[in-house]
Amino acid sequence: MLTRFNESLWGDEGFSAILSMKSLPEIIKTIINDTSPPLWNINEWIVFNTLGTAEIYIRGLAFVYFLIAIYFTYKIGSLLWDKKTGLFSAALTFLNPFFFIYAFEGRMYSILAAGVTASMYFFLKILKSKNKIKTFDKVGYVATTLWAMYSHHFAIFAVFLQGLWFVYELTFGQRKKAKVLFKLFIFVAIVYLPWAYPLYNQTRMVGGGFWLGTPTLKELRNLIYEYLAEGIKGHPFEISSLRLHQIALYFVLAGLLFKKWFKDFRDNLFLTSWFLFPIMATWLVSQVFQSIFFNRYLLYTIPAAMLLVASLRRKILSSLALAVTIVLFVIIDFHYFTHPTKRPFRELAAYVKEVRQEGDYLINWNAASHHLWETKYYGIGGPLYIPEGSGDLPFFVGTALMDRGDVIREIPKGVNRIGVVTSGPVDEISIPGYTESESKAFSDIKFVWYVKNEKGLR
């Protein structure tokens, strides 16, 4: 049965997988010239060298970190309120549609969420400690904060938020704990220092031009709605012309409306700032500088929102909203899990391996996106064909990992049949001297055969 665990990889997952198949020194050297820290790829490298490189191991690794994020969500709910609240918070976070998507994404997003959620837990434990702060909590905070920062650069927004709470404690609250936190911040900064220069270079690369446009207020609202309930829209369910994700959003908003906001106000304020501050900060930065506003980069804020929904409920209305929300999330997630939508590259690769003949030459056509990493992962290869005069590739398509032979400007001489992989329109493919002979579609990914025309053969 095809599920989200074993469906084909897509481009970014393929990029990560190909990178993680290299040696550790090569991984570090390559990723310094890309746009992210190395922790996911180091973890993936360990899995590849112990279990294997199959899709299920890649998705399984992501799912393990997803579960770690759920566990620390439970711990935060139990710490701030009680175990029942912790369980409801964990259930909502596990089932949250947007968060659920990235439980199976072979990239760094679930490991980022696990790191940030764990860091927030230990940060709160330090603030909530009644007596001497435990060494375990201090070590836990340092380790998980570094874990988050070495997973994705956007963890910095979460750490910055913690810094704001530190300033508050130092100025108005518990100064002794604030001094402990300051020492921990310094230790984190020292251990993160080796990545400071790569971070600077990667920030400069993004500042020189990125693929994201300046976000609007509507996009800001839509991201918040996605995080609350509308993360999965590709399902067939509706009631009275309302889509199920829209109904789920109404019930989440109802749960927030009926919440006892002024009880444990400080804890509510912390969770609200955890949810909104990274989102708002990223949106504002994107208005002034190069846009970096992208929904998956900030998904670590979702546990905070689900903790708010699950906590301090009024007996009837809030509990009813919570129960209905969980049921709707289950329906949406089950459909998503059992109806994979990623392009079936495994099937395409099997077809190519079956019909490929000696002397055939395979290429990837550079449409709206290229598929160099998928074809490499599935063992059929094929360089990226970019005709002369088409310009250079931007860094954010994975140029840091490309070898010299991964991009060609012209077809080698003596090739009589070319196989082309593309997810764009077939009629946009133009290979001088060759004519389309046959094509086969696998969902919206196509494999097209071209043969040398008669004029070219003479």
Side-chain angles (χ1 to χ4, degrees), residues 343 345 365 367-371 421-425 428 444-446:
R343 291 165 175 147
F345 273 96
W365 182 257
S369 60
H370 70 76
H371 303 292
V421 177
T422 184
S423 56
E428 78 175 12
D444 66 340
I445 189 80
K446 281 85 68 176

Side-chain angles (χ1 to χ4, degrees), residues 250-421:
Y250 295 149
F251 277 96
V252 168
L253 293 175
L256 291 171
L257 179 64
F258 298 134
K259 176 183 171 66
K260 297 176 183 177
W261 283 96
F262 292 101
K263 184 178 180 181
D264 298 336
F265 178 76
R266 193 164 174 268
D267 294 335
N268 283 325
L269 182 61
F270 179 84
L271 293 175
T272 302
S273 62
W274 172 7
F275 178 51
L276 291 178
F277 175 79
I279 296 173
M280 296 303 303
T282 309
W283 188 86
L284 289 171
V285 166
S286 299
Q287 303 303 310
V288 181
F289 305 104
Q290 169 62 50
S291 179
I292 54 173
F293 187 79
F294 195 41
N295 54 15
R296 67 188 67 170
Y297 298 163
L298 295 162
L299 58 75
Y300 63 76
T301 66
I302 292 174
M306 298 300 99
L307 280 157
L308 286 169
V309 175
S311 60
L312 300 173
R313 304 176 308 279
R314 298 185 188 276
K315 286 187 177 180
I316 299 177
L317 295 176
S318 297
S319 297
L320 177 62
L322 179 61
V324 175
T325 299
I326 288 176
V327 171
L328 295 177
F329 279 2
V330 167
I331 296 170
I332 293 170
D333 290 348
F334 183 77
H335 182 270
Y336 173 82
F337 181 74
T338 55
H339 291 76
T341 56
K342 288 185 170 64
R343 291 165 175 147
F345 273 96
R346 184 169 53 242
E347 290 79 359
L348 180 146
Y351 162 77
V352 172
K353 291 173 182 177
E354 181 182 349
V355 303
R356 190 174 186 175
Q357 301 171 9
E358 186 176 353
D360 289 343
Y361 190 76
L362 269 57
I363 62 172
N364 278 276
W365 182 257
N366 188 35
S369 60
H370 70 76
H371 303 292
L372 178 67
W373 311 120
E374 297 98 313
T375 53
K376 276 193 171 190
Y377 176 81
Y378 287 105
I380 58 174
L384 185 58
Y385 175 59
I386 304 178
E388 291 289 348
S390 298
D392 295 325
L393 291 169
F395 71 90
F396 49 79
V397 300
T399 56
L401 186 56
M402 290 182 183
D403 299 322
R404 178 173 296 180
D406 283 341
V407 177
I408 61 169
R409 297 289 184 176
E410 59 183 23
I411 303 298
K413 294 180 180 179
V415 174
N416 291 321
R417 191 167 79 146
I418 302 171
V420 182
V421 177

